[in-house]
Amino acid sequence: MSPAFSPLCLLVVVTLFHFCFSNQNLHGRLCIDDERQALLEFKDGIIDEADRLASWVGDESDCCTWAGIACDNSTGHVHRIQLRGLDGHCDSQGFTTLRGDLNPSLLHLKQLRHLDLSCNDFGGMQVPSFISSLGNLRYLNLSNSGFGGVIPSQLGNLSKLHVLSLGNLYDVEDTYGSYDLTSVPNMQWLSSLHLLTHLDMNGVNLSKAGNWFQVINTLPSLVELHLSICKLSYIDPYAHVHNLTSLTLLDLSFNTFSSSVPWWIFSITNLASLDLSGCKFHGHVPSSTSLFRNLTALKLLDVSDNNFMNSSSVLKELSSSIGGNLVSLDISSCDISSPVLDSLHNFTSLHSLDLSKNQLTKTIPKSLGNLCNLRELDMSYIESLQNTLTYTLQSFFECKSPALVSLRLEATGLTGSLPDQLVKLTRLKYLQLDGNYIVGTIPDSIGQMTSLRTLLLSHNQISGPIPFVIGRLLSLVSLDLSENQLNSSIPDSLGQLSKLIFLDFSSNFLEDVVTEAHFDKLVSLKYLNGKGNNLSLRPQLSNWIPPFQLYNLNLNSWGLGPQFPLWIDLQKNLTELDISNTGIEYIPETFWRSFTNLECLDMSQNRIQGSLLSIPSTLRLLDLSYNEFGGKLTHLSNGGFPISLDLSNNFFVGSLHNLLCSNGVKRTQALSLGNNSFSGAIPECWENTLGSISWLGSLSIGGNNLSGRLPASLMNLTSLLILQLGRNELVGSIPAWLGTKLSLLRLLNLRSNNFHGNIPHELCYLTMTQILDLADNNLSGNIPRCINNFSVLSGKENITDDQFSFYVVYGEATIASDLLVTKGREDTYSTILQLVMLFDLLSNNLFGNIPSEFTTLVMLKSLNLSRNQLTGRIPEKIGDMKRLDSFDLSLNKLSGELPVCLSDLSFLSNFNVSYNNLTRRVPSGTQLQGFNESGFIGNKLCGAPLTECCAVKVPNKEDRNEEGSHEADWGLIISTLLGLVVGFWTVVAPLIVRRSWRTTYFRFCSKLIKV
């Protein structure tokens, strides 16, 4: 054999050996025993509710075939762990996330190169430092998995990393609230990762990492950099870029820099994608400056919410430099007006354009580019447009073959009806027109838009029936027709939409009976909201099994009862269920065990009877108010209580001790147990349970038979905004700590109890209170003069619209309510409770004057001081309280006159000063004359609206003599006139008769003039 042939033989031998070894592995077990054991130990620390790791079993099985595991075909070593949750869609809701602890047994996987645990939920735990010892890792993805705390700097030891993803953009919540963001106080350790091509730190708190740019500038291989929402606040506008020449993607979005434009960004010539949205860059860009000239590779540009783009010169330069290259452009929220937008031109390759939230007054100029090629257009939230849909889309309707796929025109002030020309948009898949003023009916031509996947028409004024042709839109995934004026019945053709996932036709005027035919083929349906209609669901089959498994079901105000619909019991995946006001009287015993994932349950306003024995620990919101539940409440939950629990307006009895002294109540934010028959004292256990935490914002236990004094441990509930204890049998004095310790209270209701003593002046510390109801007690003494400290009532502090709302989950909120007396009428206030401004001291034994400080409460709408022992006069500046709607001072001992400035109270609709000691005339020429006479009787008042006229004084003889003394003295007048006449002619007559006298007189006058 020649020497030249020897290497060839050796190569053949090695190849045959490799083939035999590989073939042996194919027929045998590939997994290495130590590594299998390491994976099993790792599994032991994981909570896997979805059984994703079900294949990870057995001491003899091949771990290389387990879910998420990949091995090297030659060596058998595990080199990849891919356990990405939620099917890779981190922003979706689901139950496939892994939880628990990460076992360091992974250190036995010496050849591990790829580790992906993204989109899971590890409960806010810190990123384990042992990962830094996996020295062969090339790929590490821990993003959006609920990690918290400081990211260990030891990760800088992973010098072979190419991809590092630690971002955490999506909100992950544990049992008690949101996790703290992961953070990196110093990024220096990243500088040792020279091979890094992809770095994702979205959502990581970098506010203390002042060296972030210097470190990033040392990574020569970096291709993609994601630093969105990192709380960065400083960026050097004039920094020099050295090593970022390979960078093709840069995302700095939603870091509020609020500085001038950083010029160095526009010198990175290889950038293909640039996202500066929400960075608040501002300042004037000189017309001679070329920002975009060097970015010839740029395809995707997002500069939304940056005012430096509001410039004709910048848009012209953008157009002329790279306009023809851009595929996607987002310049939303840049305060751009239509004249400035006219500067855009020559965007011939543009596929996506976002102009939303600008100041446009006309539609897109045709000079912008070839609109027929545009695929995505967003012009939402431009109320100044106020055009018809036909006019707005005219340029697209004129296209021979418009390419438009996505059209977003939400809250754009659109008027008119839905035009038939919409069918010309044959490729349209996403159509969003909600929040406009569209009228008329849904045209039958909508049935020809068969490419539609999403149709959003909510919050308009569309009327008529849902057209039968809606059933032809077989590609439809999401349909929202809510908040319109649709009427008639629901077409059963709706049941043919087999791909439909989201269906909402709530808050319309739909009526009639719905049967299983309406849901015949809705096999994909997950979200169904039909609340606020006059519909009844009556399946023709008593054992109907729906074709869908819902996550969210809302049938509020439908006719479902009296029996509980058994088909609902089959919806095992429900997370939210609202069947309030549906006429249900009975629920099966198995109900509370049927829904293992249920988080929000509203069955209020029914007639459900029975006892409440347990509450599922998964619930975050439970509303059973206005039913007929009864019996005693024991320990209802072995786990945590709902964040919002409303059991009000039922027939529960007994003590509150077992309920309120449960450890599970610690996470509750809103607790409503009012209007039942609970008795006994308010339990003294707040410091051990609720008092040890700061979550409770609303406590309502009014309308029961509770007795005794207020327990001092209530002062530990320092986050309380709402405290309702009215209509009980509580005694003692009002404690001073109500004002000093619970200073955040917005609503304090102690009405109809047996409190006595003075009103403590410490209540004036409740500066944020807007509803204070102490009526119908035995309070005495003076009204504190410090009431001008109420900042909200005096207009010194503004209030937010959601101060009486408590958000629970997925944007769902529970809204507080209270039974209040205004205008002499008792009403329950709920959705408008935040608008009520009330001060009620009715039916006590208060005495002294009405403090003039009341007149500083200019935001007060209802003031009731009736049925007390108040004396003195009505404050003179009462007219300053211009928002007063109801004003009651009746049944006191007030004296003096009614102030004329009462006429300034133009909003006053209820006024009562009856049964006092007021005197004189009711001020005339005011709206007081429009009130009923009953509001003035029991005084010494006269004039309208009273029938008693005010007496007119008749003058007596002495008055008449006195009046005569003031008559004209004609003798004096005549003598004065005669004297003037005689004096005049005594001087003038000689001048007329004697010429010499006349000449001398005029010469004398002439000399006087010259002088």
Side-chain angles (χ1 to χ4, degrees), residues 767-768 789-799 837 859:
T767 58
M768 304 304 292
N789 288 341
F790 292 110
S791 300
V792 172
L793 292 178
S794 62
K796 299 173 186 175
E797 293 278 351
N798 294 322
I799 57 174
M837 303 283 179
M859 303 300 290

Side-chain angles (χ1 to χ4, degrees), residues 684-724:
E684 182 73 77
C685 60
W686 306 90
E687 54 194 1
N688 296 323
T689 56
L690 290 175
S692 65
I693 51 91
S694 58
W695 293 106
L696 193 65
S698 175
L699 175 61
S700 176
I701 51 179
N704 284 287
N705 301 315
L706 301 174
S707 57
R709 297 174 178 268
L710 293 182
S713 58
L714 276 174
M715 71 173 70
N716 294 308
L717 304 180
T718 54
S719 294
L720 270 184
L721 301 178
I722 298 170
L723 180 58
Q724 298 167 320

Side-chain angles (χ1 to χ4, degrees), residues 129 193 421 450 556 591 593 662 712 875 946 1005:
S129 58
L193 306 181
Q421 292 99 311
T450 53
N556 162 269
F591 174 80
R593 301 189 299 272
S662 164
L946 294 164
C1005 291

Side-chain angles (χ1 to χ4, degrees), residues 206-207 209-210 212-213 225 227-237 250-262 264-265 274-282 304-306 308:
L206 302 180
S207 59
W212 71 272
F213 176 73
L225 176 60
L227 295 179
S228 177
I229 319 179
C230 290
K231 297 189 176 181
L232 297 171
S233 58
Y234 177 74
I235 187 169
D236 187 352
L250 175 60
D251 184 358
L252 296 176
S253 60
F254 299 104
N255 292 289
T256 309
F257 295 110
S258 297
S259 66
S260 57
V261 182
W264 58 265
I265 290 177
L274 176 60
D275 191 346
L276 302 178
S277 58
C279 289
K280 307 289 185 182
F281 290 128
H282 56 78
S304 59
D305 203 10
N306 290 281
F308 80 92

Side-chain angles (χ1 to χ4, degrees), residues 171-239:
D171 292 332
V172 183
E173 295 185 353
D174 66 358
T175 306
Y176 301 106
S178 298
Y179 304 141
D180 293 331
L181 286 174
T182 48
S183 62
V184 176
N186 191 317
M187 295 178 66
Q188 192 61 45
W189 56 270
L190 276 169
S191 59
S192 61
L193 306 181
H194 296 293
L195 300 179
L196 208 61
T197 61
H198 179 109
L199 176 60
D200 177 5
M201 302 188 80
N202 286 338
V204 177
N205 187 348
L206 302 180
S207 59
K208 295 182 180 179
N211 61 340
W212 71 272
F213 176 73
Q214 289 80 358
V215 173
I216 296 299
N217 205 14
T218 65
L219 303 176
S221 303
L222 202 60
V223 176
E224 293 191 15
L225 176 60
H226 302 265
L227 295 179
S228 177
I229 319 179
C230 290
K231 297 189 176 181
L232 297 171
S233 58
Y234 177 74
I235 187 169
D236 187 352
Y238 305 105

Side-chain angles (χ1 to χ4, degrees), residues 710 730-736 738 748-761 763 772-784 839-848 864-870 892:
L710 293 182
L730 301 172
V731 298
S733 58
I734 297 177
L738 272 178
L748 175 59
N749 190 338
L750 302 179
R751 185 186 191 91
S752 299
N753 280 285
N754 296 311
F755 291 112
H756 60 78
N758 295 339
I759 299 175
H761 67 85
L763 288 189
L772 180 61
D773 194 343
L774 306 179
D776 197 15
N777 280 284
N778 297 314
L779 301 173
S780 57
N782 293 297
I783 300 174
F839 204 112
D840 196 341
L841 300 177
L842 163 78
S843 294
N844 282 286
N845 297 310
L846 302 171
F847 51 79
N864 194 340
L865 304 178
S866 67
R867 297 179 183 274
N868 282 285
Q869 307 296 321
L870 299 174
N892 279 288

Side-chain angles (χ1 to χ4, degrees), residues 536-567:
S536 298
L537 180 54
R538 307 296 181 196
Q540 296 177 355
L541 298 175
S542 58
N543 59 347
W544 176 55
I545 300 177
F548 46 72
Q549 279 292 319
L550 298 173
Y551 291 149
N552 187 312
L553 174 62
N554 191 333
L555 300 181
N556 162 269
S557 299
W558 282 43
L560 300 179
Q563 298 296 325
F564 183 82
L566 294 180
W567 64 268

